[in-house]
């Protein structure tokens, strides 16, 4: 029985993530914002970071493939939301443009409202347990 439950977890996590990212994409689209979750995740990380980040650091923090982050940053750059700024002559830091900064409040509000819609019916105890569980998963060795 336990093995059956464990085997279902990956599929269920993928379904839950799909629901969350799809709901967020729909909420952004309703506001006329073309920003899939993968792009929003990078923008949000830049919003909350104390300083500009390299693509490698973004990939590390989001636990994503560096090539995928490069593609995402390329797209965000074409949309005028981020730019690469030379740092130490060999690396670039990624920073939000004025356009992205002007969107910060709206993006954050839409994302927060979406999360409240998804998690609003959870009790505090359920949320605490869920956060603990996700933390343990995130810290698991590859």
């Amino acid at each position: 029985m336990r093995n059956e439950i464990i085997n279902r977890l990956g599929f269920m996590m993928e379904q839950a993530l799909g629901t969350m990212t799809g709901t967020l994409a729909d909420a952004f689209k309703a506001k006329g914002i073309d920003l899939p979750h993968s792009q929003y995740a990078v923008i949000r990380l830049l919003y909350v970071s104390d300083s500009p980040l390299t693509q490698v650091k973004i990939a590390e923090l989001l636990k994503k493939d560096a090539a995928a982050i490069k593609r995402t940053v390329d797209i965000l750059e074409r949309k005028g939301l981020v730019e690469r700024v030379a740092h130490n002559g060999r690396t670039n830091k990624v920073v939000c443009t004025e356009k992205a900064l002007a969107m910060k409040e709206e993006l954050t509000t839409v994302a927060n409202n979406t999360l409240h819609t998804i998690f609003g019916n959870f009790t505090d105890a359920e949320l605490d347990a869920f956060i603990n569980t996700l933390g343990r998963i995130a810290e698991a060795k590859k």
Side-chain angles (χ1 to χ4, degrees):
M1 178 69 162
R2 180 175 170 81
N3 285 339
E4 186 177 310
I5 292 169
I6 290 172
N7 291 338
R8 289 182 50 213
L9 284 174
F11 179 72
M12 292 177 74
M13 288 176 61
E14 190 64 37
Q15 283 185 312
L17 181 60
T19 296
M20 288 180 58
T21 60
T23 302
L24 181 61
D26 290 346
F28 282 151
K29 190 179 288 187
K31 295 284 190 179
I33 301 167
D34 175 25
L35 201 65
H37 179 265
S38 59
Q39 294 170 26
Y40 173 69
V42 171
I43 293 286
R44 182 184 177 284
L45 184 59
L46 294 173
Y47 284 160
V48 301
S49 177
D50 293 334
S51 60
L53 302 170
T54 64
Q55 288 177 182
V56 171
K57 188 65 175 175
I58 293 169
E60 177 186 313
L61 291 169
L62 294 178
K63 298 187 183 279
K64 298 285 185 179
D65 178 68
I69 294 299
K70 182 198 178 306
R71 287 188 299 272
T72 300
V73 170
D74 288 345
I75 293 166
L76 289 170
E77 197 168 39
R78 283 194 299 273
K79 289 181 176 183
L81 297 174
V82 302
E83 60 186 4
R84 292 174 173 99
V85 177
H87 178 75
N88 291 340
R90 292 180 25 219
T91 60
N92 291 322
K93 299 273 184 155
V94 180
V95 298
C96 288
T97 62
E98 290 299 319
K99 179 179 177 180
L101 293 174
M103 297 170 66
K104 181 179 180 177
E105 185 175 338
E106 182 177 22
L107 291 178
T108 302
T109 298
V110 170
N112 287 342
N113 288 344
T114 300
L115 290 173
H116 284 278
T117 298
I118 293 169
F119 294 109
N121 292 327
F122 284 59
T123 66
D124 287 350
E126 288 171 327
L127 290 172
D128 287 341
F130 191 53
I131 289 169
N132 182 51
T133 301
L134 289 175
R136 289 176 62 190
I137 292 169
E139 296 303 317
K141 291 191 177 198
K142 292 183 179 182

